[in-house]
Amino acid sequence: MPKVTVDGIELEVPQGATVLQACELAGKEIPRFCYHERLSIAGNCRMCLVEVAPGPPKPQASCALPAAEGQVIKTDSEMVKKAREGVMEFLLINHPLDCPICDQGGECDLQDQAVAYGRGRSRYDENKRAVTEKYMGPLIKTVMTRCIHCTRCVRFSEEVAGVDEIGALYRGENMQITTYLERAARHEMSANVIDLCPVGALTSRPYAFEARPWELKNTLSIDVSDACGANIRIDSRGRDVLRILPRLNDDVNEEWISDKARYQIDGLSRRRLDKPWLRVDGKLQAATWAEAFAAVAKINPGKSVAVIAGDLVDCETLFAAKALAGALGSNLLEGRQTGLDYDCSSLAAVNFNSGLAGIEEADAVLIVASNVRWEAPLVQSRLRKAARRGAKVFVVGAEWDTTYPVTFLGTDLAVIDKLPAEADAAFKNAERPALILGGAGLGKGALGACLALAAKYKLVRATDSGAWNGFNVLHMAASRMGGLMLGYAQKGGVADLFAAKPKMVISLGADEVDYTKFAGSMIVYIGHHGDKGAHAADVILPSAAFSEKPGTYVNTEGRVQRADKAVFAPGDAREDWTILRAMADSLGVSVGFDSFDALRAEMTKAVPALGREGLADYGALLKGKSGAKGSIKAYPIKDFYLTNPIARASVTMQRCSAELLHGEVFAEAAE
């Protein structure tokens, strides 16, 4: 490891580190616009200049200069100070300086660094250049006159998203950043360029002119739009959630989130259930809480009760509903709404065992019946990294646009039992082979065959760098792993609940169930949106959305994470656990908790893993049996933007679906 000296501080830096990274290890702040830790080095902006000896007697760009033995680096010399002032002066020559009307104001890198490193005045008196606005779709607002050509957006689209949609036209002062043919950016993580943009050139279209950052309350939370459990920050003002931003977590989402996770939030204020409803003579009528609970008590179901959990439910709600069902004498619990009935006797067999970060290290990957790009955009970006490092990727199922080189092995699941020669050789020679099984494969009963393949190719093994488990199941629902840990799985799936013909069905925001199969049951819907489940309900009890309550979530890799409450639920809506606690009173049973803390303590006592944030230990894999049958000609998600009740209520997601997937044209009003 080379030794360098930074402003008189001697330190060792990792081999291959840059001078900029060496300076940061020494605790020195280096200004930059184009450099980003997760993108390739461009060296465009020249803001990160430092003085380095031995070397030419001039400032050098620290982001592109390798750290070498014996270097003496100065970050605060007069030469460096003057050079940075000069660079900033050039950057501001054409910048419009319209901070009062710019959405980036208050959290703008250019604004901050102009104050810290710029001159007190400009010497430039010529006319500023102007650039025509570009259309980048319903999510990204552009004011390209502010662009400083850092190319972060270009590199993100090419390297992380793998979709070459954004690039540069012309040269010199005429250079412009744009999407090709000025079409909308169409990939599922496009809005991350807003966070990357160091100026106000790319800002959020739905959030435009809504608030300033100092007006907002920040709350740490977990995304529920898929099963990856991305770490997010909810920014709210009063009772309104105004935006969602990603939080840094290298083990889960790095610093990216999907467009759905970021922009479905306007659905939190639309189609909301804010008062109880009762079905009278076939029609839903508004009611009071007392009337609703009286209707529930009137059923007197005894132990003929079933609970179905929706995709967005937190573990505390699941446990409270389980406690209520248990107190009534029932164990009819199910969270797999669409009818899946795979073996859950070992949760390791239905877990993403390599971890979201670990899949990057795989050198051979078999994707079985999963459109990863729509089911888990964050896993898609990890797989792209693995492919760029040389991993060979094979797909069983209908073809989809993968954004990295893959070999499609057809739609017949029988290929799992005997892989073609190319795939067979890749897995035999791989040091870290991996398999990813999606929901379509689980529905076709491919779990056993995939477990047999895992044993055949030794997907669980010891390597030079530690233990490796390459067997992965990719879930799509935020509540799935937490539900499985709490026993929300019948041997025959939701069909067991249909067959039991319960007197009362408690639906925890379950909107994908075929409620016609419960024709003789009273359906009590505890949810936050007037979606499919509410239309089938006999009693509707309005509850809180994920942003309106604290909760524990377990992602597809078995990582236990906790979210905080950002805002209050609207109207008469209540947190789910309080509704279930009151239902217990109306039904004359005791559930063993009277507060949220007591509920969480009982849950932790029952399932200790849910009391500790981090990866849960699910033990060893099951043994599988060959004999996969069926064909994967389609995937469960038909529309990426409309997969849950919040997204379906979101005007932004509806427009994304119409414009980006179905080709509808929206006229732009003049500003």
Side-chain angles (χ1 to χ4, degrees):
M1 298 205 322
K3 283 186 178 181
V4 300
T5 303
V6 181
D7 292 343
I9 302 170
E10 187 176 81
L11 71 156
E12 285 188 346
V13 297
Q15 194 69 41
T18 63
V19 168
L20 186 150
Q21 290 168 329
C23 294
E24 291 193 329
L25 286 171
K28 302 294 179 179
E29 180 183 352
I30 304 295
R32 83 292 294 271
F33 294 113
C34 68
Y35 175 80
H36 191 277
E37 291 82 356
R38 302 187 195 279
L39 304 176
S40 62
I41 294 170
N44 300 358
C45 71
R46 320 308 285 182
M47 194 64 202
C48 63
L49 295 172
V50 296
E51 189 178 344
V52 182
K58 63 178 184 179
Q60 299 188 63
S62 61
C63 69
L65 183 65
E69 181 71 34
Q71 282 178 334
V72 178
I73 305 163
K74 295 181 181 177
T75 67
D76 55 2
S77 67
E78 193 59 36
M79 179 196 293
V80 171
K81 183 173 180 290
K82 187 175 180 182
R84 289 176 181 168
E85 287 180 352
V87 169
M88 181 59 71
E89 192 172 10
F90 276 118
L91 286 173
L92 295 177
I93 278 176
N94 283 311
H95 197 76
L97 303 178
D98 55 354
C99 303
I101 60 162
C102 176
D103 269 323
Q104 200 86 341
E107 47 193 5
C108 172
D109 291 350
L110 184 67
Q111 202 175 52
D112 296 341
Q113 293 183 37
V115 172
Y117 302 103
R119 292 169 54 90
R121 59 185 293 274
S122 173
R123 296 174 289 181
Y124 190 76
D125 296 324
E126 305 299 323
N127 292 330
K128 291 177 180 283
R129 75 170 191 153
V131 181
T132 56
E133 303 310 340
K134 315 298 178 188
Y135 183 66
M136 291 193 182
L139 304 180
I140 305 169
K141 182 174 187 278
T142 64
V143 185
M144 300 313 289
T145 301
R146 301 170 185 158
C147 179
I148 62 171
H149 303 153
C150 71
T151 69
R152 281 185 179 182
C153 56
V154 177
R155 285 174 284 147
F156 173 84
S157 295
E158 292 179 354
E159 296 165 16
V160 178
V163 181
D164 296 339
E165 290 183 326
I166 302 178
L169 301 178
Y170 317 123
R171 299 180 67 185
E173 191 181 59
N174 295 320
M175 179 177 170
Q176 299 180 23
I177 302 294
T178 180
T179 53
Y180 297 115
L181 304 180
E182 296 197 23
R183 284 171 42 190
R186 292 174 182 269
H187 61 84
E188 298 72 29
M189 297 176 68
S190 63
N192 286 290
V193 299
I194 295 168
D195 299 330
L196 288 171
C197 185
V199 294
L202 304 178
T203 55
S204 172
R205 188 179 289 272
Y207 178 69
F209 310 122
E210 286 289 332
R212 288 298 194 187
W214 52 84
E215 300 177 77
L216 304 176
K217 182 185 80 169
N218 310 138
T219 308
L220 306 185
S221 191
I222 303 298
D223 170 45
V224 296
S225 66
D226 59 30
C228 291
N231 288 211
I232 58 173
R233 190 186 87 193
I234 298 175
D235 287 356
S236 58
R237 182 177 59 193
R239 297 183 73 134
D240 298 321
V241 174
L242 295 185
R243 68 175 178 180
I244 282 181
L245 296 177
R247 284 191 287 138
L248 180 66
N249 188 327
D250 284 331
D251 293 328
V252 182
N253 58 305
E254 299 179 286
E255 56 189 270
W256 321 124
I257 53 173
S258 72
D259 292 347
K260 182 166 53 180
R262 187 186 297 264
Y263 284 119
Q264 68 176 4
I265 54 166
D266 62 326
L268 290 170
S269 59
R270 292 176 172 86
R271 298 188 193 168
R272 287 304 300 268
L273 299 172
D274 58 359
K275 67 182 81 169
W277 295 79
L278 291 178
R279 191 172 296 277
V280 180
D281 297 329
K283 293 184 179 180
L284 288 170
Q285 297 182 2
T288 64
W289 278 105
E291 290 169 341
F293 286 130
V296 170
K298 190 176 179 180
I299 306 168
N300 191 21
K303 63 179 182 180
S304 184
V305 174
V307 181
I308 304 180
D311 291 348
L312 312 183
V313 187
D314 57 290
C315 291
E316 284 82 0
T317 299
L318 293 169
F319 182 79
K322 180 180 180 178
L324 174 59
L328 291 168
S330 172
N331 61 357
L332 289 174
L333 311 171
E334 185 54 75
R336 299 166 296 178
Q337 305 177 62
T338 53
L340 299 178
D341 60 353
Y342 45 82
D343 185 358
C344 298
S345 55
S346 168
L347 292 186
V350 290
N351 186 49
F352 203 93
N353 294 291
S354 66
L356 301 183
I359 198 65
E360 292 179 16
E361 306 301 322
D363 46 9
V365 182
L366 177 65
I367 301 173
V368 179
S370 177
N371 180 347
V372 182
R373 185 168 169 181
W374 278 13
E375 293 172 14
L378 298 174
V379 175
Q380 169 75 354
S381 69
R382 302 279 194 178
L383 285 172
R384 177 166 168 75
K385 277 192 194 179
R388 294 183 73 197
R389 291 172 178 170
K392 294 182 179 179
V393 184
F394 305 89
V395 177
V396 177
E399 295 192 12
W400 48 280
D401 184 4
T402 60
T403 75
Y404 45 81
V406 305
T407 302
F408 284 93
L409 303 180
T411 62
D412 191 350
L413 287 172
V415 75
I416 301 171
D417 297 333
K418 186 172 174 53
L419 294 182
E422 182 187 358
D424 179 66
F427 270 75
K428 283 180 177 175
N429 298 326
E431 184 183 354
R432 293 185 183 85
L435 177 145
I436 297 176
L437 174 61
L442 290 171
K444 293 285 187 178
L447 179 60
C450 289
L451 287 166
L453 184 143
K456 178 180 177 181
Y457 291 106
K458 296 183 173 61
L459 265 56
V460 182
R461 60 175 70 179
T463 67
D464 294 340
S465 54
W468 171 257
N469 187 337
F471 185 83
N472 303 300
V473 171
L474 184 59
H475 297 292
M476 290 173 277
S479 64
R480 182 71 76 246
M481 287 305 293
L484 295 179
M485 292 172 74
L486 287 165
Y488 276 75
Q490 299 295 307
K491 189 173 182 181
V494 74
D496 284 1
L497 273 59
F498 297 151
K501 297 183 179 179
K503 285 185 180 179
M504 181 169 73
V505 177
I506 300 173
S507 171
L508 304 176
D511 294 296
E512 317 301 331
V513 181
D514 181 3
Y515 284 104
T516 60
K517 302 285 182 66
F518 290 118
S521 307
M522 183 173 195
I523 299 167
V524 180
Y525 182 80
I526 301 175
H528 40 78
H529 276 76
D531 206 75
K532 302 171 188 176
H535 288 275
D538 298 301
V539 180
I540 296 176
L541 305 177
S543 67
F546 77 101
S547 58
E548 298 155 2
K549 59 185 175 183
T552 302
Y553 298 91
V554 186
N555 73 354
T556 191
E557 62 176 346
R559 186 179 299 276
V560 180
Q561 303 182 108
R562 285 184 174 168
D564 293 330
K565 179 178 180 175
V567 295
F568 288 95
D572 288 335
R574 299 289 183 264
E575 292 183 24
D576 307 64
W577 76 268
T578 63
I579 298 171
L580 291 159
R581 175 67 182 80
M583 276 184 68
D585 283 346
S586 67
L587 292 168
V589 294
S590 172
V591 288
F593 55 84
D594 295 309
S595 67
F596 183 77
D597 289 340
L599 164 61
R600 184 170 274 179
E602 287 296 315
M603 180 182 74
T604 301
K605 184 178 177 182
V607 185
L610 292 175
R612 300 185 296 270
E613 291 195 83
L615 290 173
D617 183 3
Y618 294 140
L621 291 181
L622 295 170
K623 288 185 178 180
K625 185 183 292 186
S626 300
K629 296 179 182 178
S631 181
I632 304 297
K633 296 180 180 177
Y635 299 103
I637 296 179
K638 308 302 180 190
D639 189 323
F640 170 75
Y641 298 102
L642 303 175
T643 56
N644 64 65
I646 300 174
R648 287 190 285 267
S650 164
V651 172
T652 304
M653 291 294 97
Q654 290 170 18
R655 176 165 174 178
C656 284
S657 173
E659 182 174 348
L660 303 182
L661 296 185
H662 303 293
E664 293 185 25
V665 177
F666 288 80
E668 287 296 305
E671 292 187 359

